[in-house]
Amino acid sequence: MEDLLRSWDGEHVVVRYDQAAKAWIFIAIHSTRLGNASGGTRMKIYEAPRDGLQDALRLAEGMTYKWAGVDFPMGGGKAVIALSAPLADVERDRLLERYGELVETLGGTFSTGADLGVGPELVQVIGRETTHVFGVRGAGDPGPWTALGVFSAIEAVAEELYGSRDLKGRTVLVQGIGDVGIPLCKRLAGTGARLKIADVNEERAAAVAEELGAQAVDVGKTYAEPCDIFAPCAVGGVLNVDTIPQLRCRAVAGSANNQLERIEDADRLHERRILYAPDFIANAGGAVALCGLEALRMSEDYVAAKVLSITDTLKTIFAEAKAREESPYHAAMRWARKVLERGPA
Ligand code: NAD
């Protein structure tokens, strides 16, 4: 763990070993340059505590860039509760309450919400002991907000590729018909875009296809399916050395976190002249909405405008990437670093 901490460029990490649950708690605060740190809490079984710490450090850094990428006044943080064995519900809830007490001692420097293993109902349990939680005070499901942001990203892509945001007649393939995929498909269907959908849950895909007049495609052939824009909204790592050569699209813009298996995959897409809307910008809508509405008490109109501004941010990024003949991923990272250097707007 010492090596991980030495090589990390973040601000600080709170470490607690919870004796009763035999679980490690890591709260990583990567940057408070733009505001108090905020990021979800992940809870799962790790083979070694080090793996949990590594996840916390990596994910907290990712949050710094997510907030900076959309120029939002929050800092990057993330918490990991590394379990050594499954817990009964009662023990799990007691652990989350103790974790909530720990978050409370940080006085708002870190606020948290749902992530893998911690659904909205468990955020409520954490919220018994701290007010520094989001997703419990009426902002509702972040999925539709994330979908709005992805839709804005798709519009930016369309403008870059075709000179117009109009999606009528363009084919969009949405992978993953869940909390984000469904509202995204509904928005797309409203524009007259041709919709293709792929989900491992074939029943769900068939039902949504019927409802929206979409075409459900064979999940095994998703990457080779012809389309104009591919929207990965299921799992991470889908853009890699195996899938990129198969793609038959002109652009990728979706909600999944960590779509690139490796950074080099951004260059692979660029070499194939496939425009990439960096995920940490395209999928920031849900985080912006939850923190904006609940922690920063912004109005719904302001939050909506902020999410829709993803289109303009991406247009700037695409223009810079074009001028430098590079992947938009690199331009987006530079843009986020510039925002961090500048500090809060
Ligand atoms: P979800 O669990 O509600 O839906 C995911 C869907 O993808 C499910 O229907 C599942 O059956 C399907 N799926 C899983 N693996 C698949 C595969 N290999 N091929 C095709 N379909 C597959 O999740 P969600 O909340 O809609 O989130 C989708 C993605 O977006 C995730 O990567 C998530 O981390 C990311 N994300 C979500 C939000 C949000 O607000 N919910 C915000 C930011 C990022």
Side-chain angles (χ1 to χ4, degrees):
M1 291 212 246
E2 200 186 316
D3 290 349
L4 287 175
L5 291 168
R6 263 187 218 279
S7 58
W8 194 54
D9 68 348
E11 291 176 12
H12 61 268
V13 184
V14 176
V15 180
R16 159 86 59 90
Y17 181 66
D18 187 279
Q19 291 281 359
K22 297 188 171 51
W24 286 87
I25 298 172
F26 304 106
I27 302 176
I29 296 179
H30 181 259
S31 168
T32 53
R33 176 86 178 127
L34 299 180
N36 282 330
S38 191
T41 296
R42 180 166 289 196
M43 180 167 69
K44 58 178 248 192
I45 296 174
Y46 285 90
E47 233 171 70
R50 185 187 194 281
D51 301 335
L53 174 62
Q54 188 165 32
D55 251 3
L57 300 183
R58 185 177 57 81
L59 295 165
E61 182 178 356
M63 286 308 296
T64 296
Y65 287 96
K66 181 172 291 204
W67 295 124
V70 289
D71 199 355
F72 200 71
M74 299 296 297
K78 198 88 180 184
V80 164
I81 302 178
L83 303 176
S84 49
L87 294 178
D89 290 359
V90 179
E91 284 176 71
R92 179 202 60 199
D93 286 5
R94 293 292 90 79
L95 168 64
L96 289 174
E97 285 169 0
R98 292 190 292 276
Y99 165 65
E101 285 171 15
L102 180 61
V103 170
E104 185 63 20
T105 64
L106 302 178
T109 319
F110 174 72
S111 61
T112 195
D115 199 87
L116 211 76
V118 180
E121 68 294 344
L122 294 187
V123 177
Q124 305 265 6
V125 176
I126 300 168
R128 289 176 193 157
E129 300 298 333
T130 179
T131 53
H132 304 298
V133 284
F134 50 82
V136 295
R137 282 189 294 278
D141 177 5
W145 287 103
T146 304
L148 179 64
V150 174
F151 181 77
S152 306
I154 289 175
E155 286 196 323
V157 158
E159 198 162 328
E160 179 72 14
L161 292 179
Y162 311 114
S164 158
R165 293 183 188 191
D166 190 1
L167 293 167
K168 192 159 193 267
R170 306 287 177 207
T171 305
V172 185
L173 166 56
V174 181
Q175 179 191 43
I177 309 301
D179 279 354
V180 178
I182 289 179
L184 175 63
C185 286
K186 287 185 175 160
R187 267 185 196 278
L188 289 167
T191 66
R194 270 188 239 135
L195 260 184
K196 292 184 176 180
I197 58 178
D199 198 295
V200 285
N201 182 336
E202 287 174 3
E203 252 172 61
R204 182 183 300 177
V208 174
E210 164 121 20
E211 184 193 337
L212 298 178
Q215 179 194 339
V217 306
D218 182 345
V219 178
K221 297 186 184 142
T222 305
Y223 303 106
E225 184 68 32
C227 59
D228 294 306
I229 300 164
F230 172 46
C233 298
V235 289
V238 293
L239 302 173
N240 57 48
V241 70
D242 295 325
T243 59
I244 292 171
Q246 298 177 46
L247 292 176
R248 293 172 71 191
C249 60
R250 295 199 53 198
V252 178
S255 75
N257 280 311
N258 306 317
Q259 290 166 29
L260 302 168
E261 197 169 280
R262 308 165 138 261
I263 308 285
E264 302 87 271
D265 295 316
D267 303 320
R268 281 196 185 96
L269 287 169
H270 181 64
E271 279 157 23
R272 285 215 51 213
R273 301 191 170 281
I274 295 172
L275 185 66
Y276 175 56
D279 52 8
F280 64 95
I281 293 183
N283 73 12
V288 162
L290 283 197
C291 285
L293 293 171
E294 295 194 359
L296 303 175
R297 313 222 172 252
M298 293 166 167
S299 71
E300 206 157 309
D301 284 352
Y302 184 87
V303 163
K306 191 74 200 160
V307 175
L308 290 169
S309 75
I310 286 175
T311 308
D312 287 337
T313 302
L314 283 175
K315 277 172 59 186
T316 308
I317 286 166
F318 290 154
E320 187 169 326
K322 196 178 203 170
R324 292 194 180 217
E325 295 183 12
E326 65 180 2
S327 162
Y329 171 81
H330 302 299
M333 288 300 285
R334 256 199 324 278
W335 153 264
R337 282 194 202 101
K338 253 190 251 166
V339 170
L340 286 167
E341 268 165 37
R342 184 208 64 202

